[in-house]
Amino acid sequence: MFQLLANSKMALNRHIDVAERYANNMRLYEATGVGTCLVTDAKDNLHELFEPDREVVTYRNAAECIEKVRYLLDHESERAAIARAGQARTLRDHTYRHRMAELDAIVHRYLSGRDPHPTVVSLVTKGEKNRPAGSQPVPATAAQPAPPSTIATGESDREMFWDDIRLVTQQVEKYGCQQPFVDLGGLAQPVIADYDLTVGTGDQQARFVGLQQRPFDHIAPGYAIINPENGEPYIEELPAKYPEAFGTAVCLSVLEHVNNPFEIFEAFHKIMRPDGLLILSTVFSYPYHPSPNDYWRYTPDCLRYLAQSVGFRVLECDWRLMIPADRGIRAVQDGNLLEVKSVYATLAREQFVPKPLGRTLELPLRISRNPAANDLVAQERQTRSSQAATPQGHAPVLFQVDWPDHPDLDQHRLVIAQQLATAGHTLTCITPNPKPQGGFNQRSLPYNPQTEFHLGMGDRVSFEQWVNEIRPELIIFGDACPLSNFAAKQVARDRGIPYVIVVASADPTVAHNFAPCLTDLAELYHHARQVITLTADTQPTLQQHFGLTHPNTTSLNLALTWDPFIPAIQVRSAPPPAPAMASNPANSSPPPNRPEWEYLPQGWQTQDPHILGWNVQSILETQRAKWDDFAAALRTTSPLGISHESPNVTAASYGSHNTMMAFGYVLALAARKKDRVSILDWGGGLGQYCLIAQALLPDVEIDYHCKDLPLLCQGGRQLLPQATFYEDEVACFQRRYDLVLSSSSLQYCQDWQTILGRLATVTDQYLYLTRLPVVHQAQSFVVVQRPYAYGYHTEYIGWFLNRQAVLDCAGQSHLQLQREFLIAEQFAVPGAPETAEARGFLFKSI
């Protein structure tokens, strides 16, 4: 049999049904081992054994198998290269010698008394055989406490951080605990790593402790542990059985082991109730710990992005456990000094309302083999009990003010601060002009609100640092105008910290200059506990000109004599806020006397609050409203001279017909002699080109993939569930396509050369750029477009690209020009170096 395999150009492999989703049969190693090119069925774990389409060739159905076999027969050099790479991988990693070494390690683990089972995180996602939950949460049986002799063995594979237990406890105390409570990927009896005990005792083994209960029975007795070791399904499969089922869920030290975080976060959102609370933690600095694989390290920015991309509201997201290596923590594996840093996020669905417990929960009792560690545990419990008995109300308060230097305002600031301090609160006042008075902490605002107002609009980092240091339980914003402390309010909202707004004045000029920001400002006002105005006329101005209302608004009517504060800035100097998804009122209109197109000699450094980009609600709503008419028009026998971006999608034009037919020519080339063609549409919106492709080639199966921004992807998934949408670049570049398409999108990438190069690497045949604005004489330059006439209440920056620069970049990316197309669009921009015209370029990969 081996001789037969060795004499064959290819070996075709298919696993039997019992293998389910996993590659595991002998033919994987027999065929590659003798140097034959292996064509095998795609499996979830195959990438752990071989690199698909470089060391072995994969297929997902019969048609794809036939297509790839034919291709390999026609491309002998590529087939031989894959065969050589597969053989090298097998001889390097998959011989009996390698397997016996692995078996020997497992046997030694048994003989040494260490737990040989894989950690739960190795079973929490389908990419890694990872699963959570059955038909309803089933309370797990409370575990007996582990004997101290079995706790400090140094086994780190099944540990969790004691800090995770404290984190969940603190968050539940602050936000409440909705039922049912579930632990996704947890254990009833984990080994707990409490690093404070190592620091306090100097004993490395002191940190490994056991509990006299399950980790979260002190919060929700009888809570469910959703764990694949108990036969539960994958996290990704939970929504089918548990749609909107969980009130509070925790998922701790799992995310670093999943290979598909975007899919995991989508599942998280679907399994939480509309008023649900989700608490996550994961490591950032920690040794490589495969179980079976260790993939990712997350920053707070990453967790925030993943959460917001699927619709979560971020209550808190920050660094958590931060232990420098010089504190004496050593890795169990090799004894090297170890830095430990973790990240956490507390997320809520849209209907979540905080319901603080109003009491301090008693943490579980933990037991160490080290007597000194147990003494430290007892001291900590005594301290926490004393804190719980302290009367409520003596809380840290942060008072951030950007009022200008004025005697009346100084007096108001002093009165508010002194009253809070007198009430027993620990007060920190951040102000542009600290005064040596008051008997409370004062810090200097890190910017001048009159000359650097844009920093208050966009700088979250400075305020994040204050919050991390002070840990306030209440924030008071003293606002010179309604847009004051904008970024700081975003931080308070995202972290779920209650805040009160005290507004000194409101001038209609500010509302006009910052009109695109008013929707997001209204959302920030909505989250405030109370709004206080210092003058009687401020409240109606907030309502009439800013659209700001709040059910708990009070006017102090102090009749201030100072002139209303108007930021000494021009509109362009203030960058737009950075919410998860920018949006505008439906009745937004372009700023007066500003053209649809404008030349920007300062380029991409332009800062303008009207420039919100493409990820805005009005674009989604406008395109979705025209979807049905566009799809119906494609099904008729009328000329295909329609455009989904036209105000009237059924109105045909010669220009649109030319664009459509050019795409039809390209599509026919890519689909030649194929029953199925795969397409990556870069910047494809809701997937309109999928409908166009199906209308042009109805007998060809269109395997459509679209990369766009989160709002458009969410809408596209609803309208085209059979298609694949990607919010991130990494995911869409993990496979190859017959045709890569970029229609009126590459010019909106600041680093367009890099994107073009990456698009070139994932096409097997053709790359088609169309509706690309080019100039012939001038160098590439930047413009802003104001597409209000299309119903898009936003503005965005883009390139007018030099044609030769595009061709040169394509050539450097191993693309050969096949055909150039004229597109009936021209762009005359006042003051620009040259009038641009839209063109199309068909390239072939070489």
Side-chain angles (χ1 to χ4, degrees):
M1 182 185 73
F2 293 117
Q3 188 61 53
L4 182 62
L5 284 172
N7 292 339
S8 302
K9 287 189 173 183
M10 283 175 281
L12 180 63
N13 182 50
R14 181 182 180 278
H15 289 79
I16 60 176
D17 292 340
V18 72
E20 296 183 339
R21 291 182 301 277
Y22 310 116
N24 52 24
N25 66 14
M26 290 297 296
R27 223 65 64 216
L28 295 169
Y29 313 112
E30 293 169 341
T32 55
V34 298
T36 298
C37 179
L38 178 67
V39 181
T40 184
D41 46 344
K43 296 293 183 179
D44 288 352
N45 68 323
L46 185 63
H47 67 282
E48 302 170 21
L49 307 173
F50 296 95
E51 185 175 340
D53 296 327
R54 198 186 77 83
E55 296 172 339
V56 297
V57 178
T58 63
Y59 64 88
R60 295 188 178 278
N61 52 50
E64 187 177 17
C65 178
I66 294 171
E67 176 187 346
K68 290 193 173 183
V69 167
R70 287 175 175 171
Y71 178 86
L72 292 170
L73 290 174
D74 292 340
H75 297 79
E76 172 61 23
S77 61
E78 293 186 36
R79 182 204 64 77
I82 294 172
R84 289 193 298 271
Q87 184 180 41
R89 179 64 180 269
T90 292
L91 297 180
R92 188 188 75 202
D93 294 341
H94 302 311
T95 66
Y96 276 110
R97 183 180 298 276
H98 291 97
R99 293 297 179 266
M100 289 304 100
E102 294 172 3
L103 180 61
D104 180 66
I106 294 173
V107 171
H108 275 80
R109 290 180 67 185
Y110 271 109
L111 294 177
S112 65
R114 298 179 69 188
D115 186 350
H117 295 293
T119 162
V120 64
V121 292
S122 70
L123 302 173
V124 179
T125 75
K126 68 182 180 183
E128 301 306 320
K129 307 178 184 175
N130 290 4
R131 295 192 170 223
S135 57
Q136 287 297 325
V138 179
T141 304
Q144 296 298 318
S149 61
T150 67
I151 291 171
T153 61
E155 173 59 61
S156 62
D157 285 347
R158 297 175 67 87
E159 74 183 40
M160 68 182 294
F161 297 138
W162 172 250
D163 193 72
D164 283 339
I165 297 177
R166 289 191 296 195
L167 166 69
V168 174
T169 304
Q170 292 165 355
Q171 299 301 283
V172 167
E173 290 172 346
K174 182 184 298 186
Y175 297 110
C177 183
Q178 303 277 11
Q179 294 295 333
F181 182 107
V182 295
D183 182 358
L184 304 177
L187 292 172
Q189 192 179 355
V191 174
I192 310 294
D194 185 345
Y195 295 109
D196 287 338
L197 297 183
T198 288
V199 175
T201 64
D203 179 2
Q204 297 296 321
Q205 299 302 324
R207 71 176 183 250
F208 296 106
V209 300
L211 304 179
Q212 290 187 328
Q213 61 174 64
R214 300 185 308 162
F216 304 112
D217 273 335
H218 66 294
I219 296 174
Y223 71 94
I225 297 177
I226 300 199
N227 184 331
E229 288 192 344
N230 301 330
E232 312 288 6
Y234 293 131
I235 284 181
E236 297 91 321
E237 296 169 355
L238 279 176
K241 295 186 177 182
Y242 288 119
E244 298 187 342
F246 304 137
T248 305
V250 299
C251 187
L252 310 170
S253 300
V254 170
L255 293 176
E256 64 267 28
H257 298 281
V258 307
N259 64 357
N260 50 351
F262 281 90
E263 189 175 354
I264 294 297
F265 270 78
E266 287 180 358
F268 282 156
H269 191 265
K270 292 175 181 177
I271 64 178
M272 300 307 300
R273 284 182 4 193
D275 60 348
L277 183 74
L278 174 64
I279 304 168
L280 308 173
S281 80
T282 180
V283 294
F284 178 79
S285 295
Y286 198 73
Y288 176 70
H289 54 297
S291 50
N293 288 298
D294 183 3
Y295 283 105
W296 302 103
R297 295 295 183 266
Y298 301 79
T299 64
D301 291 337
C302 180
L303 289 185
R304 186 179 292 108
Y305 172 75
L306 288 167
Q308 292 175 337
S309 69
V310 299
F312 274 116
R313 176 156 53 98
V314 179
L315 302 180
E316 297 185 25
C317 185
D318 207 344
W319 301 104
R320 180 67 183 179
L321 188 64
M322 302 180 74
I323 303 175
D326 59 10
R327 293 190 65 185
I329 306 300
R330 295 186 178 275
V332 172
Q333 297 91 329
D334 53 21
N336 290 329
L337 286 174
L338 168 67
E339 177 187 77
V340 183
K341 184 183 292 187
S342 66
V343 186
Y344 81 100
T346 302
L347 313 175
R349 284 285 303 268
E350 57 277 0
Q351 297 180 20
F352 175 79
V353 177
K355 298 178 181 178
L357 294 185
R359 59 189 176 89
T360 300
L361 294 171
E362 185 174 349
L363 291 168
L365 179 63
R366 53 205 195 279
I367 305 172
S368 171
R369 186 179 63 180
N370 185 296
N374 289 326
D375 291 341
L376 291 174
V377 169
Q379 294 173 17
E380 178 196 279
R381 291 176 66 85
Q382 183 176 3
T383 300
R384 186 171 174 86
S385 298
S386 299
Q387 291 174 344
T390 301
Q392 298 297 310
H394 298 265
V397 177
L398 181 58
F399 184 20
Q400 174 149 320
V401 186
D402 75 340
W403 292 339
D405 197 359
H406 186 280
D408 287 340
L409 291 177
D410 288 343
Q411 183 64 27
H412 301 324
R413 176 170 45 239
L414 182 61
V415 169
I416 293 173
Q418 287 181 337
Q419 288 180 345
L420 289 168
T422 301
H425 299 294
T426 302
L427 177 67
T428 301
C429 183
I430 302 173
T431 173
N433 50 336
K435 306 289 184 181
Q437 57 185 350
F440 48 84
N441 297 324
Q442 296 190 70
R443 309 287 183 87
S444 179
L445 194 67
Y447 61 89
N448 186 324
Q450 290 187 281
T451 61
E452 300 176 302
F453 188 76
H454 61 284
L455 294 179
M457 289 287 293
D459 177 19
R460 294 171 56 113
V461 175
S462 297
F463 192 71
E464 289 269 13
Q465 292 174 345
W466 293 124
V467 170
N468 291 340
E469 176 186 343
I470 298 167
R471 299 287 179 182
E473 296 185 18
L474 175 69
I475 300 172
I476 300 176
F477 293 110
D479 294 346
C481 78
L483 273 297
S484 295
N485 298 310
F486 192 101
K489 291 187 183 71
Q490 288 181 321
V491 173
R493 174 203 60 193
D494 293 345
R495 298 182 62 160
I497 305 172
Y499 59 89
V500 174
I501 300 172
V502 183
V503 190
S505 72
D507 187 275
T509 304
V510 177
H512 174 75
N513 287 345
F514 292 90
C517 305
L518 297 186
T519 298
D520 298 302
L521 182 64
E523 197 266 343
L524 294 175
Y525 264 64
H526 171 75
H527 283 277
R529 294 294 179 90
Q530 186 175 10
V531 175
I532 300 171
T533 64
L534 295 186
T535 62
D537 60 344
T538 300
Q539 186 172 343
T541 304
L542 289 176
Q543 297 175 353
Q544 295 170 16
H545 296 280
F546 291 83
L548 301 176
T549 60
H550 194 281
N552 192 9
T553 300
T554 304
S555 175
L556 299 183
N557 195 20
L558 297 178
L560 297 180
T561 59
W562 59 285
D563 294 331
F565 171 77
I566 299 176
I569 57 170
Q570 299 297 319
V571 172
R572 288 183 179 276
S573 69
M581 293 180 286
S583 60
N584 277 73
N587 61 354
S588 291
S589 59
N593 303 318
R594 301 179 80 178
E596 178 181 351
W597 295 90
E598 184 177 350
Y599 170 53
L600 298 179
Q602 64 271 47
W604 288 84
Q605 302 306 313
T606 299
Q607 295 182 343
D608 188 325
H610 297 87
I611 298 174
L612 300 177
W614 191 249
N615 193 43
V616 300
Q617 190 70 29
S618 62
I619 292 180
L620 171 61
E621 293 173 353
T622 300
Q623 291 199 8
R624 189 158 49 190
K626 295 186 290 186
W627 177 272
D628 291 340
D629 289 341
F630 183 70
L634 288 172
R635 291 193 293 266
T636 69
T637 58
S638 301
L640 292 177
I642 59 176
S643 169
H644 67 273
E645 290 188 339
S646 171
N648 182 2
V649 297
T650 60
S653 72
Y654 288 98
S656 297
H657 190 271
N658 185 47
T659 301
M660 195 87 75
M661 292 302 100
F663 174 65
Y665 167 78
V666 171
L667 182 64
L669 283 179
R672 185 170 177 265
K673 296 183 179 181
K674 295 185 178 71
D675 297 325
R676 178 176 177 270
V677 61
S678 57
I679 300 174
L680 171 62
D681 189 353
W682 178 270
L686 300 180
Q688 287 88 351
Y689 268 95
C690 181
L691 299 184
I692 296 171
Q694 292 171 341
L696 291 171
L697 292 182
D699 296 329
V700 175
E701 179 186 352
I702 305 298
D703 178 20
Y704 180 80
H705 301 254
C706 177
K707 160 65 177 74
D708 215 304
L709 295 169
L711 271 180
L712 279 299
C713 287
Q714 292 172 23
R717 292 188 186 100
Q718 296 173 358
L719 297 169
L720 283 176
Q722 73 274 22
T724 303
F725 288 83
Y726 307 94
E727 286 96 344
D728 69 304
E729 298 175 9
V730 175
C732 73
F733 288 138
Q734 289 182 344
R735 57 158 294 166
R736 299 177 67 83
Y737 309 87
D738 298 313
L739 171 62
V740 175
L741 164 70
S742 173
S743 175
S744 188
S745 57
L746 183 66
Q747 64 265 34
Y748 299 115
C749 303
Q750 182 175 358
D751 187 7
W752 64 270
Q753 297 98 329
T754 297
I755 296 300
L756 179 56
R758 297 190 70 185
L759 293 176
T761 64
V762 296
T763 179
D764 281 331
Q765 296 185 80
Y766 296 105
L767 187 150
Y768 182 44
L769 307 179
T770 186
R771 300 184 62 212
L772 188 71
V774 299
V775 293
H776 299 270
Q777 304 300 323
Q779 297 297 313
S780 301
F781 57 89
V782 177
V783 299
V784 61
Q785 184 179 2
R786 304 184 178 95
Y788 296 92
Y790 298 92
Y792 300 162
H793 303 299
T794 182
E795 300 179 11
Y796 35 79
I797 294 177
W799 287 104
F800 280 9
L801 294 170
N802 178 272
R803 174 183 173 275
Q804 191 59 46
V806 173
L807 297 181
D808 290 346
C809 181
Q812 294 167 6
S813 303
H814 306 290
L815 296 172
Q816 185 178 70
L817 182 65
Q818 299 293 295
R819 182 75 61 186
E820 190 168 351
F821 301 89
L822 298 176
I823 308 298
E825 294 179 86
Q826 288 193 332
F827 314 95
V829 179
E834 185 179 339
T835 295
E837 62 176 355
R839 291 218 172 184
F841 301 91
L842 175 63
F843 300 100
K844 188 172 184 179
S845 178
I846 55 176

